[in-house]
């Protein structure tokens, strides 16, 4: 991709790391702008890029108190809201995914009441 197309895909300029003011609606940071959802969709992201010979990608990891914020973002990324898909999908392909449940802590101990303990 040209430098301009790369910048537009994310919505940020690689050369100086500035967010683009006129980024296209398909730009990843426009699709996922957390405060732009009607119920703000905040997640904690801790992703890890990987490469193995010719293949490469991102293990995307997000934490949240429910699936809601993550699913709201994914819906907009795939264009379910307005038909505009995230420019990331021009050069990336979701391969697999998993959800895990992490019990919260209560009074210094794991709160396992959701499991009936
Ligand atoms: C190939 C997969 C992905 C790549 C390469 C990627 C890459 C990026 C990059 C480069 C940024 C900009 C960071 C910055 O401006 O500081 C970003 C932001 C973000 N991404 Fe992704 N991302 C991927 C998948 C996802 C997925 C699957 C989600 C959620 C469903 C997501 C949610 C977000 C959020 C919430 C932001 C911050 C937006 C904001 O509030 O400014 N990303 N991502």
């Amino acid at each position: 991709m040209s430098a301009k197309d790369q910048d537009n895909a994310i919505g940020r300029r690689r050369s100086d790391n500035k967010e683009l003011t006129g980024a296209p609606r398909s730009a990843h940071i426009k699709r996922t702008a957390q405060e732009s959802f009607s119920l703000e969709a905040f997640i904690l992201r801790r992703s890890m890029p990987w490469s193995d010979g010719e293949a490469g990608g991102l293990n995307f990891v997000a934490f949240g108190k429910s699936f809601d914020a993550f699913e709201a973002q994914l819906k907009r990324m795939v264009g379910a809201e307005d038909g505009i898909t995230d420019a990331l999908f021009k050069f990336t392909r979701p391969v697999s995914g998993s959800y895990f449940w992490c019990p919260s802590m209560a009074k210094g101990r794991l709160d396992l009441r959701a499991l009936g303990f």
Side-chain angles (χ1 to χ4, degrees):
M1 292 165 77
S2 68
K4 187 164 179 263
D5 286 347
Q6 290 181 27
D7 294 348
N8 280 339
I10 297 296
R12 188 178 284 275
R13 204 163 35 228
R14 288 186 75 181
S15 57
D16 58 6
N17 201 28
K18 288 260 157 38
E19 208 168 311
L20 301 180
T21 42
R25 289 170 71 198
S26 57
H28 181 56
I29 59 168
K30 287 271 184 184
R31 294 282 97 192
T32 54
Q34 302 174 94
E35 68 291 342
S36 70
F37 292 83
S38 58
L39 259 185
E40 290 186 336
F42 284 100
I43 51 177
L44 176 66
R45 293 172 294 136
R46 284 289 176 271
S47 302
M48 181 59 70
W50 62 272
S51 82
D52 177 13
E54 290 179 3
L58 184 78
N59 282 325
F60 179 88
V61 181
F63 302 83
K65 65 177 179 183
S66 77
F67 297 151
D68 297 347
F70 177 73
E71 288 186 346
Q73 291 181 16
L74 267 187
K75 264 190 196 153
R76 203 186 271 166
M77 285 177 71
V78 299
E81 274 183 8
D82 53 10
I84 300 172
T85 45
D86 195 307
L88 276 184
F89 293 132
K90 285 186 190 154
F91 61 97
T92 69
R93 181 172 60 91
V95 179
S96 67
S98 304
Y99 289 87
F100 300 92
W101 175 65
C102 253
S104 50
M105 299 291 286
K107 296 182 185 150
R109 305 180 57 157
L110 287 178
D111 180 358
L112 299 175
R113 280 174 298 171
L115 298 178
F117 296 113

